[in-house]
Amino acid sequence: MKHILTIVLFCITQYSFGQPTPGPRSSTPSPAGPRSSTSTSPAPKLIVGIVVDQMRWDYLHRYQSRYGPGGFLRLLGEGYTCENTLISHLPSFTAVGHSTIYTGSVPAIHGITGNDWTDQASGRPQYCTGDSTVESVGTPTATGKMSPHNLLATTITDELRISSNYQSKVVGISLKDRASILPAGHNPTGAFWMDDSTGNFVTSTWYMKELPEWVQRFNQLRLPQKLVAGGWNTLYPIASYTQSTADDVPWEGLGSGETAPVFPHDVAKFYQHHHDAIRSTPFGNTLTLDFARAAVEGYSLGQGKATDFLAINCASTDYVGHEYGPNSIEVEDTYLRLDKDLATFFDYLDKKIGKGNYLVFLTADHGGSHAINYMKANHFPADFLQTANIKTGLDNFLYKKFGVYGIVLNSMNYYINFNLKTIALNHLSMDSIRKETVSFLQQQPGIQFAVDLSNMAANPLPEPIRQMVINGYNYRRCGDVTFIPEPGWFSGSARGTTHGTWNLQDIHIPLVFMGWGIKHGASFRTIHMTDIAPTIAALLRIQMPNGCVGSVIEEVMK
């Protein structure tokens, strides 16, 4: 009996729900807990979560010889890096990644299945943070009609607020609404994002009735205009860049009004009429981190008795990546400039909060694929998945099978969404429609797998793709059939690139912890994005988020 009980207990401790590779959930360390040699506080005064949008893992090392000592190299030299951190859900998009990082959960549970999705009950499109019940604050436009109400699980920031009886201050910051709102959780001190019509940071009535004075003062500085005034040229001589022989190539996108994707980029000219022009430059990251410093001052973050949390998204890396692709001087220059901005920011925190008194983690919401035409030019297998044509072709195919037109509502996030009202009115069989849809998709160029999500057992999907599909599927917000492109194929345009697939360039992300309680080191075992929130919870001795399926990264706790 004793041996049977031992075996049962062992099996329970080995079980980790929702992970492609099960692993043991760590027990919480002793109350004394880990401390870095420079730590001067029993708990971190401030946690700073930095999500670098579309940062592939290899960027940590690809430009390492060009980084200065105070930014990425400081993270690697002082912190603990998890070199094999993977996303375990599909699709790999901004809203999904941020929600997963901060909930420790997966889209099937936290509900954020894309930046946009189709509500299956109504057939209507839904933006991840769109909320018609709230009003904009700081702008007359609808930019501020946003909230976290679609997020179904608590975040680590929510749990911090609850554990401190709301004495902990939590602030979310990004150029993107979704990347500030979702990390900040349901009941933060505030979340702020940029309004393209003015270039100002704004918020919504979910959080407050008017902008705090410190935000108003920051907006009055008109920093975006000042940052772009000199245009965008390379930080160093252009000949020293990795991609210096390929500045003018047909697979890179064009900035507003440009005729060629080459330096210098006359951002100031276009900013006058299009304030969103700063997003696709490294200066958007500079602006974001300047605003983050203003938030530390304005809310006195890290100055009280409770641990505060500052959630930052550096979004310009995503815009630049989409515009020019990973193999561009623009992306390289953006990371070299971000490195300097991070060094400045860390130096500020050292002086303001005290070195060892704050905890930083840096990661990404997703990676980014190589531009398709770059791949083709270098003789790698790749091509465009024409989802609009697939939708039209499928609709015609199903019309011939069932005699009813308009069965397909749309194709979104690699899901096929059906017009459920049309199907019901015509008394059609959903099982038959799904079966015929899978049959059609399997014949399309560039589609490797097509999956009837109502019958996963019948789909011969290899791991880890199978688990990623399951983790990403929420039946209220996802279509009945999904399809997986071949490696190198995705739905995109001839210029620039995107992300969203299961392939490693999209799901292998950096993860580094530095500061309070963290010893220097590195791990090369497989770790998942869902493990970040439970690790922060363990460090703080607070409850994990209520939808969390991740495991504590034990190496970080040591």
Side-chain angles (χ1 to χ4, degrees), residues 36 38-41 43-44 74 350 353-359 515-517:
S36 73
T38 55
S39 177
T40 59
S41 57
R74 177 176 172 183
D350 287 344
I353 312 298
K355 187 175 182 180
N357 290 332
Y358 64 91
L359 170 64
W516 182 92

Side-chain angles (χ1 to χ4, degrees), residues 396-416:
N396 292 331
F397 175 80
L398 294 177
Y399 173 74
K400 292 177 182 178
K401 291 286 182 179
F402 298 100
V404 175
Y405 192 73
I407 291 176
V408 180
L409 192 62
N410 59 50
S411 173
M412 180 182 291
N413 302 335
Y414 299 105
Y415 291 103
I416 299 296

Side-chain angles (χ1 to χ4, degrees), residues 16 32 88 155 180 220 263 298 307 309-310 317 408 424-425 500 519 540:
S16 177
S88 56
T155 60
S180 64
Q220 290 167 4
F263 283 98
T307 298
F309 203 120
L310 179 59
T317 43
V408 180
L425 285 172
K519 298 291 187 181
L540 296 179

Side-chain angles (χ1 to χ4, degrees), residues 342-407:
L342 288 173
T344 300
F345 186 61
F346 294 153
D347 183 62
Y348 164 76
L349 293 177
D350 287 344
K351 295 173 182 175
K352 185 68 179 181
I353 312 298
K355 187 175 182 180
N357 290 332
Y358 64 91
L359 170 64
V360 173
F361 69 88
L362 182 142
T363 188
D365 51 349
H366 53 74
S369 300
H370 294 293
I372 287 175
N373 282 331
Y374 166 86
M375 296 284 281
K376 295 171 76 171
N378 288 280
H379 309 294
F380 298 113
D383 214 330
F384 298 98
L385 201 63
Q386 305 291 348
T387 51
N389 294 342
I390 289 172
K391 186 267 180 189
T392 302
L394 175 60
D395 221 9
N396 292 331
F397 175 80
L398 294 177
Y399 173 74
K400 292 177 182 178
K401 291 286 182 179
F402 298 100
V404 175
Y405 192 73
I407 291 176

Side-chain angles (χ1 to χ4, degrees), residues 1-10:
M1 185 70 182
K2 179 180 179 181
H3 294 297
I4 294 174
L5 180 60
T6 302
I7 293 170
V8 170
L9 289 174
F10 175 79

